[in-house]
Amino acid sequence: MTKLYFQVDVPTRNSVQPERCGLHVFTGAAETESDALRIAREACEAAVAAREAGFAIPRRRPDGWGARGMRSGWVLDWEAATVVVWEHDRAFWTLPAHGGHGGRGRTFPGHGGVGPGR
């Protein structure tokens, strides 16, 4: 099966100040929505375990998933997580206007290269 690029949005709430809430977003390749949810949770659990052990949060896994920006005191609501295929319009991707990359890299306007594989 072909892997698709997914976005997993997980509601999060501060355990001390419950009125402070937000959304933690994970992205990466997977074959199905359920695989994407499982992999995002695995990446999150690895990040939390590393932080609790006093280590740096791991960067991306070999499959591209990661959980940067995890904060202590914030609780993720995995039951309320949503999973969607991450879509982008290639028309928005442009080559750099002035050399430096030899035409190799692509950037997202105004974001310095945000997107899959960045």
Short mmCIF file of all heavy atoms in Angstrom, two decimals, residues 61-101:
data_model
loop_
_atom_site.label_atom_id
_atom_site.label_comp_id
_atom_site.label_asym_id
_atom_site.label_seq_id
_atom_site.Cartn_x
_atom_site.Cartn_y
_atom_site.Cartn_z
N ARG A 61 12.06 10.39 13.88
CA ARG A 61 12.38 8.98 13.76
C ARG A 61 12.77 8.72 12.31
O ARG A 61 12.54 9.56 11.43
CB ARG A 61 11.15 8.14 14.12
CG ARG A 61 10.67 8.35 15.52
CD ARG A 61 9.34 7.73 15.85
NE ARG A 61 8.73 6.84 14.88
CZ ARG A 61 7.87 5.88 15.19
NH1 ARG A 61 7.52 5.69 16.44
NH2 ARG A 61 7.35 5.12 14.27
N PRO A 62 13.35 7.56 12.01
CA PRO A 62 13.70 7.26 10.61
C PRO A 62 12.51 7.34 9.65
O PRO A 62 12.68 7.64 8.48
CB PRO A 62 14.25 5.83 10.68
CG PRO A 62 14.77 5.71 12.08
CD PRO A 62 13.84 6.53 12.93
N ASP A 63 11.30 7.11 10.16
CA ASP A 63 10.12 7.19 9.30
C ASP A 63 9.58 8.61 9.17
O ASP A 63 8.57 8.85 8.53
CB ASP A 63 9.02 6.24 9.79
CG ASP A 63 8.53 6.55 11.20
OD1 ASP A 63 8.92 7.60 11.77
OD2 ASP A 63 7.76 5.74 11.73
N GLY A 64 10.25 9.59 9.79
CA GLY A 64 9.87 10.99 9.64
C GLY A 64 9.01 11.56 10.76
O GLY A 64 8.85 12.77 10.85
N TRP A 65 8.44 10.72 11.62
CA TRP A 65 7.60 11.20 12.71
C TRP A 65 8.45 11.67 13.88
O TRP A 65 9.53 11.14 14.12
CB TRP A 65 6.66 10.08 13.18
CG TRP A 65 5.59 9.75 12.21
CD1 TRP A 65 5.69 8.88 11.16
CD2 TRP A 65 4.27 10.26 12.17
NE1 TRP A 65 4.50 8.82 10.48
CE2 TRP A 65 3.61 9.65 11.08
CE3 TRP A 65 3.57 11.16 12.96
CZ2 TRP A 65 2.28 9.92 10.76
CZ3 TRP A 65 2.25 11.43 12.64
CH2 TRP A 65 1.62 10.82 11.55
N GLY A 66 7.96 12.64 14.60
CA GLY A 66 8.63 13.14 15.79
C GLY A 66 7.64 13.87 16.67
O GLY A 66 6.47 14.04 16.31
N ALA A 67 8.11 14.29 17.83
CA ALA A 67 7.21 14.98 18.77
C ALA A 67 7.95 16.12 19.44
O ALA A 67 8.13 16.15 20.65
CB ALA A 67 6.67 13.99 19.80
N ARG A 68 8.40 17.05 18.66
CA ARG A 68 9.08 18.22 19.21
C ARG A 68 8.07 19.12 19.90
O ARG A 68 6.89 19.11 19.59
CB ARG A 68 9.78 19.00 18.09
CG ARG A 68 10.74 18.18 17.26
CD ARG A 68 11.92 17.67 18.01
NE ARG A 68 12.78 18.79 18.41
CZ ARG A 68 13.81 18.67 19.21
NH1 ARG A 68 14.11 17.51 19.72
NH2 ARG A 68 14.52 19.70 19.54
N GLY A 69 8.54 19.88 20.87
CA GLY A 69 7.69 20.86 21.52
C GLY A 69 6.80 20.31 22.62
O GLY A 69 5.88 20.98 23.06
N MET A 70 7.08 19.09 23.06
CA MET A 70 6.29 18.52 24.16
C MET A 70 6.64 19.26 25.44
O MET A 70 7.80 19.51 25.73
CB MET A 70 6.58 17.02 24.32
CG MET A 70 6.26 16.19 23.10
SD MET A 70 4.54 16.27 22.58
CE MET A 70 3.71 15.67 24.02
N ARG A 71 5.62 19.63 26.21
CA ARG A 71 5.82 20.39 27.44
C ARG A 71 5.29 19.62 28.64
O ARG A 71 4.21 19.02 28.56
CB ARG A 71 5.10 21.73 27.37
CG ARG A 71 5.62 22.63 26.30
CD ARG A 71 4.88 23.93 26.31
NE ARG A 71 5.38 24.80 25.27
CZ ARG A 71 4.91 25.99 25.03
NH1 ARG A 71 3.90 26.46 25.73
NH2 ARG A 71 5.43 26.73 24.08
N SER A 72 6.04 19.66 29.72
CA SER A 72 5.55 19.01 30.93
C SER A 72 4.35 19.79 31.45
O SER A 72 4.23 20.99 31.27
CB SER A 72 6.65 18.94 31.99
OG SER A 72 7.14 20.21 32.28
N GLY A 73 3.43 19.07 32.08
CA GLY A 73 2.24 19.70 32.62
C GLY A 73 1.09 19.82 31.63
O GLY A 73 0.01 20.28 31.98
N TRP A 74 1.30 19.40 30.40
CA TRP A 74 0.24 19.44 29.39
C TRP A 74 -0.20 18.01 29.11
O TRP A 74 0.61 17.11 28.95
CB TRP A 74 0.74 20.11 28.11
CG TRP A 74 0.87 21.59 28.27
CD1 TRP A 74 1.89 22.25 28.89
CD2 TRP A 74 -0.05 22.58 27.85
NE1 TRP A 74 1.66 23.60 28.87
CE2 TRP A 74 0.47 23.83 28.24
CE3 TRP A 74 -1.26 22.53 27.19
CZ2 TRP A 74 -0.18 25.02 27.97
CZ3 TRP A 74 -1.91 23.72 26.92
CH2 TRP A 74 -1.38 24.96 27.31
N VAL A 75 -1.51 17.82 29.07
CA VAL A 75 -2.09 16.50 28.88
C VAL A 75 -2.73 16.43 27.49
O VAL A 75 -3.54 17.30 27.14
CB VAL A 75 -3.15 16.22 29.97
CG1 VAL A 75 -3.78 14.86 29.77
CG2 VAL A 75 -2.53 16.34 31.35
N LEU A 76 -2.37 15.41 26.74
CA LEU A 76 -2.94 15.24 25.40
C LEU A 76 -4.16 14.33 25.48
O LEU A 76 -4.14 13.31 26.18
CB LEU A 76 -1.90 14.64 24.45
CG LEU A 76 -0.91 15.65 23.86
CD1 LEU A 76 0.08 16.14 24.87
CD2 LEU A 76 -0.22 15.07 22.67
N ASP A 77 -5.22 14.70 24.77
CA ASP A 77 -6.46 13.94 24.75
C ASP A 77 -6.49 13.10 23.48
O ASP A 77 -7.07 13.50 22.47
CB ASP A 77 -7.66 14.89 24.82
CG ASP A 77 -8.99 14.16 24.87
OD1 ASP A 77 -9.00 12.91 24.83
OD2 ASP A 77 -10.02 14.86 24.94
N TRP A 78 -5.89 11.91 23.54
CA TRP A 78 -5.79 11.05 22.36
C TRP A 78 -7.15 10.56 21.89
O TRP A 78 -7.34 10.28 20.71
CB TRP A 78 -4.84 9.88 22.64
CG TRP A 78 -3.42 10.35 22.71
CD1 TRP A 78 -2.69 10.63 23.82
CD2 TRP A 78 -2.58 10.66 21.60
NE1 TRP A 78 -1.44 11.09 23.47
CE2 TRP A 78 -1.34 11.10 22.11
CE3 TRP A 78 -2.75 10.59 20.22
CZ2 TRP A 78 -0.29 11.47 21.29
CZ3 TRP A 78 -1.69 10.97 19.40
CH2 TRP A 78 -0.48 11.40 19.94
N GLU A 79 -8.11 10.45 22.79
CA GLU A 79 -9.46 10.01 22.40
C GLU A 79 -10.13 11.03 21.48
O GLU A 79 -10.97 10.67 20.66
CB GLU A 79 -10.32 9.78 23.64
CG GLU A 79 -9.84 8.64 24.52
CD GLU A 79 -9.85 7.29 23.80
OE1 GLU A 79 -10.84 7.03 23.07
OE2 GLU A 79 -8.89 6.53 23.95
N ALA A 80 -9.77 12.30 21.62
CA ALA A 80 -10.37 13.36 20.80
C ALA A 80 -9.51 13.71 19.58
O ALA A 80 -9.84 14.64 18.84
CB ALA A 80 -10.59 14.60 21.65
N ALA A 81 -8.43 12.97 19.35
CA ALA A 81 -7.53 13.25 18.23
C ALA A 81 -8.26 13.06 16.89
O ALA A 81 -9.14 12.20 16.76
CB ALA A 81 -6.31 12.35 18.29
N THR A 82 -7.87 13.88 15.93
CA THR A 82 -8.39 13.73 14.57
C THR A 82 -7.22 13.45 13.63
O THR A 82 -6.10 13.92 13.86
CB THR A 82 -9.14 14.99 14.10
OG1 THR A 82 -8.26 16.11 14.13
CG2 THR A 82 -10.36 15.25 14.97
N VAL A 83 -7.49 12.69 12.59
CA VAL A 83 -6.46 12.31 11.62
C VAL A 83 -6.98 12.61 10.23
O VAL A 83 -8.09 12.20 9.87
CB VAL A 83 -6.11 10.81 11.73
CG1 VAL A 83 -5.01 10.44 10.76
CG2 VAL A 83 -5.72 10.44 13.16
N VAL A 84 -6.19 13.34 9.45
CA VAL A 84 -6.56 13.64 8.07
C VAL A 84 -5.33 13.48 7.18
O VAL A 84 -4.20 13.61 7.64
CB VAL A 84 -7.11 15.08 7.90
CG1 VAL A 84 -8.41 15.25 8.67
CG2 VAL A 84 -6.10 16.12 8.32
N VAL A 85 -5.60 13.18 5.92
CA VAL A 85 -4.50 13.15 4.95
C VAL A 85 -4.03 14.58 4.79
O VAL A 85 -4.83 15.49 4.59
CB VAL A 85 -4.97 12.56 3.61
CG1 VAL A 85 -3.87 12.69 2.56
CG2 VAL A 85 -5.37 11.11 3.78
N TRP A 86 -2.73 14.78 4.91
CA TRP A 86 -2.15 16.12 4.81
C TRP A 86 -2.07 16.46 3.33
O TRP A 86 -1.41 15.78 2.55
CB TRP A 86 -0.77 16.12 5.44
CG TRP A 86 -0.24 17.47 5.76
CD1 TRP A 86 -0.53 18.22 6.84
CD2 TRP A 86 0.71 18.22 5.00
NE1 TRP A 86 0.16 19.40 6.81
CE2 TRP A 86 0.94 19.42 5.69
CE3 TRP A 86 1.39 18.01 3.80
CZ2 TRP A 86 1.81 20.40 5.22
CZ3 TRP A 86 2.26 18.98 3.34
CH2 TRP A 86 2.46 20.16 4.06
N GLU A 87 -2.76 17.51 2.96
CA GLU A 87 -2.79 17.92 1.56
C GLU A 87 -2.14 19.28 1.40
O GLU A 87 -2.23 20.12 2.28
CB GLU A 87 -4.23 17.98 1.05
CG GLU A 87 -4.91 16.63 1.09
CD GLU A 87 -6.33 16.69 0.56
OE1 GLU A 87 -6.63 17.59 -0.23
OE2 GLU A 87 -7.11 15.82 0.94
N HIS A 88 -1.49 19.46 0.29
CA HIS A 88 -0.92 20.77 -0.03
C HIS A 88 -1.01 20.96 -1.54
O HIS A 88 -1.08 20.00 -2.29
CB HIS A 88 0.52 20.89 0.47
CG HIS A 88 1.46 19.94 -0.20
ND1 HIS A 88 1.57 18.63 0.19
CD2 HIS A 88 2.30 20.11 -1.23
CE1 HIS A 88 2.46 18.02 -0.59
NE2 HIS A 88 2.91 18.88 -1.45
N ASP A 89 -1.01 22.18 -1.92
CA ASP A 89 -1.10 22.53 -3.32
C ASP A 89 0.31 22.84 -3.82
O ASP A 89 0.93 23.81 -3.39
CB ASP A 89 -2.01 23.75 -3.47
CG ASP A 89 -2.23 24.13 -4.92
OD1 ASP A 89 -1.50 23.62 -5.80
OD2 ASP A 89 -3.13 24.94 -5.16
N ARG A 90 0.83 22.02 -4.70
CA ARG A 90 2.19 22.20 -5.21
C ARG A 90 2.37 23.57 -5.89
O ARG A 90 3.48 24.03 -6.05
CB ARG A 90 2.55 21.10 -6.20
CG ARG A 90 2.82 19.79 -5.52
CD ARG A 90 4.29 19.66 -5.26
NE ARG A 90 4.53 18.40 -4.56
CZ ARG A 90 5.48 18.23 -3.68
NH1 ARG A 90 6.29 19.22 -3.40
NH2 ARG A 90 5.66 17.08 -3.10
N ALA A 91 1.28 24.24 -6.25
CA ALA A 91 1.40 25.56 -6.87
C ALA A 91 2.00 26.57 -5.90
O ALA A 91 2.56 27.58 -6.32
CB ALA A 91 0.03 26.04 -7.34
N PHE A 92 1.91 26.30 -4.61
CA PHE A 92 2.46 27.22 -3.62
C PHE A 92 3.95 27.01 -3.39
O PHE A 92 4.60 27.80 -2.75
CB PHE A 92 1.72 27.10 -2.28
CG PHE A 92 0.34 27.67 -2.34
CD1 PHE A 92 -0.76 26.84 -2.26
CD2 PHE A 92 0.14 29.03 -2.49
CE1 PHE A 92 -2.04 27.36 -2.31
CE2 PHE A 92 -1.14 29.56 -2.55
CZ PHE A 92 -2.23 28.73 -2.45
N TRP A 93 4.50 25.90 -3.85
CA TRP A 93 5.93 25.62 -3.67
C TRP A 93 6.70 26.33 -4.78
O TRP A 93 6.35 26.24 -5.95
CB TRP A 93 6.20 24.12 -3.73
CG TRP A 93 5.57 23.41 -2.59
CD1 TRP A 93 4.26 23.06 -2.46
CD2 TRP A 93 6.20 23.00 -1.40
NE1 TRP A 93 4.05 22.46 -1.26
CE2 TRP A 93 5.22 22.40 -0.59
CE3 TRP A 93 7.51 23.08 -0.92
CZ2 TRP A 93 5.51 21.88 0.66
CZ3 TRP A 93 7.79 22.54 0.32
CH2 TRP A 93 6.80 21.96 1.10
N THR A 94 7.75 27.05 -4.43
CA THR A 94 8.49 27.81 -5.42
C THR A 94 9.98 27.55 -5.27
O THR A 94 10.46 27.21 -4.20
CB THR A 94 8.26 29.32 -5.26
OG1 THR A 94 8.70 29.71 -3.96
CG2 THR A 94 6.79 29.67 -5.44
N LEU A 95 10.70 27.75 -6.34
CA LEU A 95 12.15 27.69 -6.27
C LEU A 95 12.65 29.01 -5.68
O LEU A 95 12.02 30.05 -5.87
CB LEU A 95 12.75 27.50 -7.67
CG LEU A 95 12.53 26.12 -8.28
CD1 LEU A 95 13.02 26.12 -9.73
CD2 LEU A 95 13.25 25.06 -7.49
N PRO A 96 13.78 28.98 -4.97
CA PRO A 96 14.32 30.23 -4.43
C PRO A 96 14.56 31.24 -5.55
O PRO A 96 14.99 30.89 -6.64
CB PRO A 96 15.65 29.80 -3.80
CG PRO A 96 15.49 28.33 -3.54
CD PRO A 96 14.58 27.82 -4.62
N ALA A 97 14.26 32.49 -5.28
CA ALA A 97 14.35 33.54 -6.29
C ALA A 97 15.79 33.88 -6.66
O ALA A 97 16.07 34.24 -7.79
CB ALA A 97 13.63 34.80 -5.80
N HIS A 98 16.71 33.77 -5.69
CA HIS A 98 18.08 34.20 -5.95
C HIS A 98 19.07 33.12 -5.53
O HIS A 98 19.40 33.01 -4.37
CB HIS A 98 18.41 35.48 -5.17
CG HIS A 98 17.50 36.60 -5.53
ND1 HIS A 98 17.59 37.27 -6.72
CD2 HIS A 98 16.45 37.14 -4.87
CE1 HIS A 98 16.65 38.20 -6.77
NE2 HIS A 98 15.94 38.14 -5.66
N GLY A 99 19.51 32.29 -6.47
CA GLY A 99 20.58 31.32 -6.29
C GLY A 99 20.74 30.74 -4.90
O GLY A 99 19.83 30.74 -4.10
N GLY A 100 21.95 30.25 -4.62
CA GLY A 100 22.27 29.73 -3.31
C GLY A 100 21.93 28.26 -3.16
O GLY A 100 22.60 27.55 -2.44
N HIS A 101 20.91 27.78 -3.83
CA HIS A 101 20.53 26.39 -3.71
C HIS A 101 20.72 25.64 -5.03
O HIS A 101 20.47 24.45 -5.10
CB HIS A 101 19.06 26.25 -3.30
CG HIS A 101 18.80 26.73 -1.91
ND1 HIS A 101 18.59 28.05 -1.63
CD2 HIS A 101 18.74 26.07 -0.74
CE1 HIS A 101 18.39 28.19 -0.33
NE2 HIS A 101 18.47 27.01 0.22
#
